[in-house]
């Protein structure tokens, strides 16, 4: 594929390339997330396929100019399919020495480096623990370096506006953004509109940022700094109307739509936690859809209020991340015992304990599976891309309501904050979710089950004649009365497990992408979807026989998964944990699944996966089927 | 639809479940009072939801023939909040104890109260952990010897009503299991209150903390050791109603009536009084040597909006301003582009 790095020899004024990866990095107060998302929205509107990776520190404002304070936003955009934000970067914008130091390793050889040369004084270098000035010590010789006086140039552009130095300095990210717009021949009008809207009450700030951006654009034009600019034509996406969507936005919207399709009020009980809080923010804005958002006093109240809302007939949910998930444990057990429908969203992050609040990980799978006292099985779904979060929200709600069970949705920091173009579905593509409240007291018993789903009836307070008691004490089957008899307990434990197993009747069989049988099956789940898909595509193009199954249903697993795994000589399970899905697969299917595990708070790179695939296929018996057994 | 409510009796609120408290437990009296009061409230039975946590008191819902939810330890106020916010028309009561409400559930209790969710909390205070067989509780007195404090507890106790008052609870009251008539009247007043109500019911655990409130409940002791709070009336007590409570600066004092001291000099109870110091002074009387323990309504503020109403109104307002949510528009919101 042609990229900037390949294209350097020929120097037309404007060159058409297939894809590019751009990363903005600077202090967490430098507005890098804003520059990145503005650039993203502009390329999205143009019709490129894309994937983003915002990567920021846990501290809101670490001391300026230091290594822990570096924040970055990366986007890959292309005229063909994009599965990941990209392994390596074509254009790196670095606002200070700390950002440069932390990010330079990801810039491709001969890639473009735009640096804010105004922030390379001795003091800046010291804060970044740089003994020498990289702009002078030849350490950057492998790259095309463009030192730009971002601060002075921005100030010059804003001179007439009468702003103080600090405010002017804050606009420098827009100067850099303007440069990138020039570099990729993108119009600035989308960002103009955004600024007008964002600073509705402060038009002077809108004007300042516009001028800074325009100045950056003109700077490139006037100085002919880059000699080349690039054109990346629109991608051939499936026809339809598109928007850009992050995983957290998609989850929020998915639940609003699910509630509508079920004809229920949506109730969210939540306690702020990174990286899940944006779901609370989004849903709090949807009051005109009748959404009730309850910011609880703690994680436990967040889920127990949701259980209360579910008991009284709402589509109830709670959102959290790992540490909050741990606090909700006992309440999830209650939801299992009283068989009420709630959806628990765990936006995973690095752990244990507080861990890496802003970094991604997939290490809550076993917590979701087993993290409760006694036998308390809960169905689990995992989203694979930001846009997929929408559909997973709908499916989780459907299962919860149909089977009267709590359902866990696993997303992670990477999906939550990452964005991709999302084809907006027609309303007719979204299934209705049937819900039945019992109203007839005749023959009503709180634990009398539907024979097909094993769901108990949903009898909400306010319904005459259905007064009944539920609770966390063991129930007698059918009547729901408190019961401590040994055989009844075993029966109820088995019934609760059978109910979760019954959901398997709704779980579609997996169909591997790539080769339907062959040397290697890669089984993944969650946000590794993009990296695995990209790696498998390249490796198959190189002649390897590989299939890829990406699991949306983690409990219960698809009923044909065991048979599918038998069609390949080897099974590889890449996960951002110590091997949690591979442990489940090995235990359940006695399959020799090999784990590939990365626990760095960062998603897999395509190249890492490809190297692993090559390694796995280079040893051991390669044949067809039975995992080498 | 007509609003006629069928005539209900105490029997309508009794379940077929065998009541399993220890014989002689004060909980029986509380259950009986609640079962007697509910039918008098003119509310259809299906509108009642009784929610509880864990502990002896929390078995309460099983014995009430209403909707009932026996949840997990300490969390009843949060579950109840979810119910009440989703369905403000329901009549939600929480049955809890000193351990459930003030230890493990302390956080939920204060937040439910400060939000003024329209939930009535019956807090059975027996100053002991009963269901776990006799450990000291957050209301046990300093130095209390129990199974877990064989040499006496080193923890200063909570004053439950001072806590509720501090949390800006809009209805705060106290009654005693053995004062059936008073308890019923207090429950009725709580039921009539729109916002959050916190009712401490002093209750005897005859197994693990027998006589916890004996100095209040013993015959003859009642009139000497209890002062009944009545709105608009002076604080008078004593067998011969010859003693009263007077305000002296920022302190309360017990005075003997006569000798130039008349009822007019006494503190006149005002349950709507806005200065929080007032209800707080009343709450602290129980700890003060030589003072009687007040029972009755300490505070009743009726003009504070309920949380669930504010939530519902906010939805109404936004719908009025923006129009009812349109899913199609929602999906298409933000910047969109067409791929052909």
């Amino acid at each position: 594929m042609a990229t900037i790095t390949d294209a350097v020899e020929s120097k037309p004024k404007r060159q058409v390339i297939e894809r590019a990866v751009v990363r903005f990095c600077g202090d967490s107060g430098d507005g890098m997330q804003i520059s990145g998302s503005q650039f993203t929205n502009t390329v999205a509107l143009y019709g490129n396929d894309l994937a983003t990776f915002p990567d920021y520190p846990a501290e809101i404002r670490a001391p300026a100019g230091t290594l822990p304070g570096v924040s970055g936003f990366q986007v890959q955009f292309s005229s063909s399919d994009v599965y990941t934000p990209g392994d390596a970067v074509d254009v790196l914008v670095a606002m200070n020495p700390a950002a440069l130091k932390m990010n330079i390793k990801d810039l491709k050889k001969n890639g473009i480096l735009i640096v804010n040369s105004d922030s390379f004084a001795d003091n800046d270098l010291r804060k970044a623990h740089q003994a020498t000035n990289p702009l002078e010590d030849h350490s950057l010789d492998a790259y095309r370096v463009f030192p730009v006086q971002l601060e002075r140039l921005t100030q010059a552009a804003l001179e007439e506006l009468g702003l103080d130095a600090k405010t002017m300095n804050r606009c420098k990210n827009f100067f850099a953004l303007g440069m990138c717009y020039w570099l990729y021949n993108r119009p600035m009008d989308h960002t103009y509109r955004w600024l007008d809207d964002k600073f509705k009450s402060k038009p002077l700030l809108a004007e300042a940022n516009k001028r800074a951006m325009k100045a950056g654009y003109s700077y490139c034009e006037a100085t002919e700094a880059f000699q080349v600019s690039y054109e990346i034509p629109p991608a051939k996406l499936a026809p339809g109307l598109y928007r850009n969507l992050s995983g957290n936005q998609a989850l929020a919207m998915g639940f609003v739509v699910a509630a509508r399709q079920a004809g229920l009020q949506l109730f969210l009980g939540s306690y702020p936690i990174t990286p899940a809080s944006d779901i609370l923010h989004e849903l709090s804005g949807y009051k005109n859809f009748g959404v009730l958002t309850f910011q609880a006093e703690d994680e436990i109240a967040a889920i127990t209020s949701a259980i209360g809302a579910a008991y009284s007939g709402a589509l109830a949910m709670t959102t959290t991340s790992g540490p909050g998930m741990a606090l909700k444990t006992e309440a999830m057990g209650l939801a299992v015992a009283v068989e009420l429908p709630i959806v628990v969203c765990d936006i995973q992050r690095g752990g244990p304990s507080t861990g890496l609040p802003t970094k991604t990980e997939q290490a809550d799978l076993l917590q979701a599976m087993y993290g409760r006292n006694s036998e308390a099985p809960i169905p689990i779904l995992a989203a694979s891309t930001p846009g997929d979060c929408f559909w997973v929200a709908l499916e989780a709600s459907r299962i919860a309501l149909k089977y009267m069970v709590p359902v866990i949705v696993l997303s992670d920091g990477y999906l939550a904050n990452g964005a991709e173009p999302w084809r907006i579905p027609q309303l007719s593509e979204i299934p209705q979710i049937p819900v039945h409240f019992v109203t007839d007291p005749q023959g009503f018993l709180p634990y009398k089950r539907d024979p097909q789903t094993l769901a108990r009836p949903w009898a909400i307070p306010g319904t005459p004649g259905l007064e009944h008691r539920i609770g966390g004490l063991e129930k007698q089957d059918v009547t729901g009365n408190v019961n401590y008899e040994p055989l009844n307990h075993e029966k109820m434990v088995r019934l609760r497990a059978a109910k979760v197993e019954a959901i398997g009747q709704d779980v579609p069989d997996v169909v591997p992408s790539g080769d339907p049988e062959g040397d290697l099956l890669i089984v993944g789940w969650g946000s590794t979807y993009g990296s695995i898909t990209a790696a498998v595509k390249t490796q198959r193009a190189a002649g390897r026989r590989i299939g890829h199954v990406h699991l949306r249903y983690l409990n219960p697993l698809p009923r044909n998964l065991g048979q599918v795994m038998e069609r390949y000589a080897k099974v590889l399970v890449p996960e951002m944990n110590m091997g949690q899905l591979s442990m489940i697969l090995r235990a359940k299917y006695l399959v020799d699944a090999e784990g590939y595990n990365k626990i760095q708070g960062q998603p897999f790179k395509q190249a890492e996966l490809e190297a692993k695939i090559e390694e796995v296929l280079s040893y051991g018996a390669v044949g067809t089927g039975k995992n080498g057994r | 639809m007509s609003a006629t409510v069928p005539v209900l009796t105490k029997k309508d609120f009794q379940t077929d479940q065998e009541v399993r408290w220890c014989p002689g437990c004060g909980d029986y009296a509380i259950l009986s009072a609640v079962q007697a009061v509910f039918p008098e409230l003119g509310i259809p039975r299906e509108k009642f939801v009784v929610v509880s946590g864990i502990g002896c008191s929390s078995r309460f819902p099983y014995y009430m023939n209403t909707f009932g939810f026996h949840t997990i330890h300490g969390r009843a106020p949060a579950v109840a909040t979810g119910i009440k916010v989703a369905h403000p028309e329901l009549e939600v009561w929480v049955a809890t104890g000193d351990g459930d409400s003030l230890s493990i559930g302390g956080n939920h209790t204060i937040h439910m109260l400060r939000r003024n969710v329209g939930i009535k909390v019956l807090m059975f205070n027996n100053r002991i952990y009963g269901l776990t067989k006799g450990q000291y509780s957050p209301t046990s007195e300093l130095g209390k010897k129990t199974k877990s404090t064989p040499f006496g507890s080193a923890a200063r106790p909570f004053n439950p009503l001072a806590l509720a008052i501090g949390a800006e609870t809009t209805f705060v009251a106290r009654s005693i299991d053995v004062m059936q008539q008073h308890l019923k009247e207090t429950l009725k007043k709580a039921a009539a209150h729109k916002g959050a109500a916190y009712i401490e019911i002093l209750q005897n655990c005859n197994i693990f903390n027998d006589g916890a409130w004996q100095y209040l409940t013993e015959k003859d002791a009642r009139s000497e050791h209890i002062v009944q709070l009545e709105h608009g009336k002076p604080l008078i007590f004593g067998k011969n109603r010859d003693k009263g409570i007077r305000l002296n600066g920022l302190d309360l004092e017990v005075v003997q009536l006569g000798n130039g001291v008349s009822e007019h000099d006494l503190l006149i109870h005002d349950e709507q009084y806005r200065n929080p110091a007032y209800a707080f002074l009343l709450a602290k009387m129980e700890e003060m040597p030589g003072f009687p323990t007040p029972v009755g309504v300490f505070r009743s503020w009726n003009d504070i909006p309920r949380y669930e109403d504010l939530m519902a109104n906010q939805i109404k307002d936004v719908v009025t301003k923006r129009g009812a949510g349109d899913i199609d528009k929602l999906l298409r919101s933000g910047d969109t582009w067409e791929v052909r």
Side-chain angles (χ1 to χ4, degrees), chain A residues 214-229:
Chain A
K214 240 185 288 182
Y217 196 96
S218 312
Y219 172 83
C220 296
E221 208 149 59
T223 60
E224 295 189 357
F226 296 114
Q227 298 160 352
V228 195
S229 74

Side-chain angles (χ1 to χ4, degrees), chain A residues 267-277 280 294-307 317-332 342-347 349 367, chain B residues 72 75 78-79 107-108 111 115:
Chain A
F267 178 97
L268 169 70
S270 186
Y271 186 77
I273 185 169
T274 304
S277 303
L280 168 63
F294 174 60
Q295 185 178 317
E297 55 272 20
D298 60 25
E299 293 281 359
I300 298 170
I303 183 170
T304 46
S305 63
I307 291 171
M317 60 181 292
T318 184
T319 50
T320 190
S321 186
M325 194 69 176
L327 284 164
K328 294 180 195 297
T329 298
E330 187 194 10
M332 280 191 266
I342 60 164
V343 181
V344 178
C345 298
D346 177 7
I347 317 301
R349 67 189 213 188
Q367 185 185 11
Chain B
I72 45 180
R75 318 305 171 197
V79 174
N107 197 32
H108 309 306
H111 285 278
R115 290 188 186 105

Side-chain angles (χ1 to χ4, degrees), chain A residues 41 43-48 50 190 193 235-244 253 256-257 260-261 265 267 285-298 300-302 304-309 311-314 330-331 334 338 340 390 420-422 424-427 430 459-473 475 480-482 484, chain B residues 14-17 20 44-52 54 59-90 104-105 107-112 114-115 117 307-308 311-312 314-316 318-340:
Chain A
N41 287 344
V43 300
L45 282 177
Y46 183 73
N48 292 125
L50 65 88
H190 166 74
R193 285 198 303 274
K236 287 169 202 68
L237 299 169
L241 189 66
Y242 281 76
R243 61 177 287 179
N244 223 12
M253 223 161 58
V256 173
V257 174
R260 183 63 62 95
Q261 297 303 86
Q265 184 161 38
F267 178 97
Y286 294 144
K287 294 272 177 236
N288 54 329
F289 291 87
V291 178
L292 283 165
T293 49
F294 174 60
Q295 185 178 317
E297 55 272 20
D298 60 25
I300 298 170
T304 46
S305 63
I307 291 171
Y311 174 60
S312 63
E330 187 194 10
L334 175 67
V338 295
L340 281 172
F390 176 84
E420 66 174 352
W422 182 66
I424 299 169
Q426 299 292 329
L427 273 181
I430 303 172
I460 61 171
T463 317
L466 296 190
E467 294 86 351
H468 67 284
R469 273 63 56 194
I470 59 171
L473 289 172
K475 319 269 167 322
N481 289 332
V482 175
Y484 303 143
Chain B
Q14 295 168 341
T15 65
D16 57 358
Q17 298 295 296
R20 295 189 195 172
R45 192 175 61 176
E46 67 271 13
K47 298 280 187 201
F48 286 98
V49 186
V50 181
V51 186
S52 67
I54 295 294
R59 298 298 172 96
F60 205 85
Y62 291 119
Y63 311 133
M64 290 293 301
N65 193 5
T66 62
F67 282 89
F69 198 163
H70 178 214
T71 71
I72 45 180
H73 206 3
R75 318 305 171 197
V79 174
T81 298
I83 296 170
K84 189 69 175 153
V85 167
H87 280 276
E89 78 283 2
L90 294 172
I104 193 166
N107 197 32
H108 309 306
T109 300
I110 56 174
H111 285 278
M112 190 278 280
R114 61 109 178 163
R115 290 188 186 105
V117 189
Y307 180 74
E308 61 270 36
M311 294 272 276
Q314 195 173 54
I315 288 178
K316 264 186 229 151
V318 178
V319 168
T320 312
K321 272 183 209 138
R322 295 195 194 165
D326 177 334
I327 292 290
D328 210 33
K329 263 195 209 149
L330 169 71
L331 294 174
R332 286 153 201 268
S333 58
D335 292 314
T336 60
W337 67 94
E338 183 85 37
V339 173
R340 286 171 210 288

Side-chain angles (χ1 to χ4, degrees), chain A residues 549-593:
Chain A
V549 161
H550 215 76
L551 296 173
R552 163 180 281 188
Y553 301 86
L554 292 161
N555 193 31
L557 288 162
R559 287 176 173 175
N560 71 334
L561 181 61
Q563 295 145 25
V564 168
M565 286 193 290
E566 288 185 356
R567 304 207 296 253
Y568 298 82
K570 292 183 171 180
V571 174
L572 179 67
V573 186
E575 294 177 89
M576 295 185 288
N577 60 38
M578 290 280 277
Q580 302 195 358
L581 176 63
S582 57
M583 178 193 280
I584 292 171
L585 295 180
R586 293 174 74 95
K588 189 172 163 77
Y589 299 103
L590 295 177
V591 62
D592 189 15

